[in-house]
Amino acid sequence: MEIYLELLFRTVFLYIFILIVFRLMGKREVGELSIMDLVIFVLIAECVAFALEGLEKPIFESILPIIILFAIQYLNSLITLKNKRIRDVIDGDPSIIVRDGVINQEEMKKQRYNLDDLFQQMREERIPSIQNIAYAFLEPSGKLSIFLKNEDPLILPLVVDGFIVDKHLELIQQDRDWLIQNLSREGYGNIKDIFYCCYENNKFHVQLNSTRKHGS
C-alpha cells in the first residue's frame, strides 16, 4: 500500500512540476520546436520515467536532472534572445528550397530534404505546381513556408537584432554597402542600434532597439 501511495504522490507531484517547468520555458507551438527544445523535452521525459521507476530514491535526487535541464534551456533562451548569430547556430536558419519556380537542388541535398518531402508539403498547402511558387523556405522546425507568385511581394528583414541578414540582401539583389549607405542617409549610423529593418515600396521601415541608445 505504501508503494502505491508513493507512486501516486510522485505522479501528481511530477505532473505539476513538469507543467511549471514547461510554463517557465516559454510559449512555443509543438510544431515549432527547435532541435534544442526537442532534446531537452526527450531528456526530461526520460528523467520522469526514472523518477517513477526508482521509488527507492529520494524525490529530489530524481528531479535534480530536470532542474539542471531547465537551467540549461533557460540560459540558452537568454543567450539566443540577445545574439542572432548564436541563435542561428543553435536553432538554424531558414533555407530557400524554391525560388521563382526553380528548385534549389544543392540546398535540398545539404538539408537532406527530398522531392517526396517537398511534394507532400505542397499537397498539404494545396499548391498544385512548383511554377506557382515565388519562394519556399524550409524552416528550422521542418515546416515549408510557401509564398506564391500571385500573392503580395515577400518582405524580408534586412537587419535583425543589430545584425545584417546577407541572404536577404542577395534576394533583393543588393549588398551591405547599399544598405549601410541608405540607412546612414536616413539617420541610422549604427547598425547595432537597429532592432528590425525591412525594405518595402522603396522605403526603409526601421525599429530601433529599446535596450540601446541610438547612436551609441
Side-chain angles (χ1 to χ4, degrees):
M1 186 65 181
E2 185 178 342
I3 293 178
Y4 292 113
L5 289 175
E6 176 68 16
L7 184 60
L8 175 63
F9 166 75
R10 290 198 177 209
T11 301
V12 174
F13 174 80
L14 287 169
Y15 174 76
I16 297 173
F17 179 70
I18 295 302
L19 281 180
I20 294 172
V21 168
F22 283 177
R23 181 67 182 86
L24 291 174
M25 283 185 181
K27 298 179 180 179
R28 207 165 192 177
E29 295 181 19
V30 174
E32 301 299 324
L33 295 180
S34 67
I35 294 176
M36 185 74 171
D37 295 328
L38 186 59
V39 170
I40 292 292
F41 289 176
V42 169
L43 289 175
I44 287 178
E46 288 294 320
C47 291
V48 171
F50 290 142
L52 293 177
E53 291 174 358
L55 298 180
E56 71 283 354
K57 295 182 179 180
I59 187 67
F60 179 75
E61 184 178 325
S62 300
I63 67 171
L64 180 59
I66 299 177
I67 296 174
I68 294 173
L69 289 170
F70 165 71
I72 292 172
Q73 180 69 352
Y74 188 77
L75 181 62
N76 169 65
S77 65
L78 290 179
I79 294 173
T80 55
L81 179 66
K82 296 181 179 181
N83 194 308
K84 185 181 184 306
R85 288 179 179 172
I86 295 178
R87 185 163 68 241
D88 288 343
V89 170
I90 295 176
D91 292 339
D93 204 28
S95 302
I96 300 176
I97 299 299
V98 180
R99 179 179 179 183
D100 292 330
V102 178
I103 300 173
N104 188 337
Q105 297 182 52
E106 291 301 318
E107 192 63 30
M108 288 184 67
K109 186 184 299 183
K110 179 181 176 182
Q111 300 300 327
R112 294 178 294 282
Y113 183 80
N114 58 52
L115 285 174
D116 290 334
D117 296 327
L118 174 61
F119 295 148
Q120 176 185 338
Q121 292 187 297
M122 285 176 58
R123 289 193 297 270
E124 291 172 353
E125 297 294 329
R126 304 180 69 85
I127 307 298
S129 171
I130 294 287
Q131 314 310 320
N132 295 344
I133 299 176
Y135 294 98
F137 293 88
L138 184 63
E139 306 292 350
S141 64
K143 180 182 178 181
L144 190 69
S145 300
I146 300 175
F147 297 85
L148 300 179
K149 292 180 179 179
N150 58 359
E151 293 180 338
D152 292 334
L154 175 62
I155 308 301
L156 296 169
L158 303 181
V159 180
V160 176
D161 288 339
F163 290 95
I164 296 174
V165 186
D166 293 298
K167 284 186 177 181
H168 295 171
L169 280 172
E170 292 175 8
L171 288 177
I172 64 172
Q173 299 180 336
Q174 299 293 349
D175 56 23
R176 283 178 169 237
D177 290 338
W178 170 84
L179 177 64
I180 293 172
Q181 289 174 10
N182 279 277
L183 287 176
S184 179
R185 191 177 298 122
E186 296 198 14
Y188 304 104
N190 191 347
I191 296 294
K192 294 295 181 183
D193 290 332
I194 298 176
F195 179 67
Y196 170 80
C197 168
C198 69
Y199 188 65
E200 183 178 359
N201 297 326
N202 298 318
K203 183 178 179 181
F204 286 98
H205 299 271
V206 177
Q207 180 178 338
L208 294 177
N209 193 332
S210 61
T211 62
R212 294 174 63 94
K213 293 181 179 180
H214 180 45
S216 61

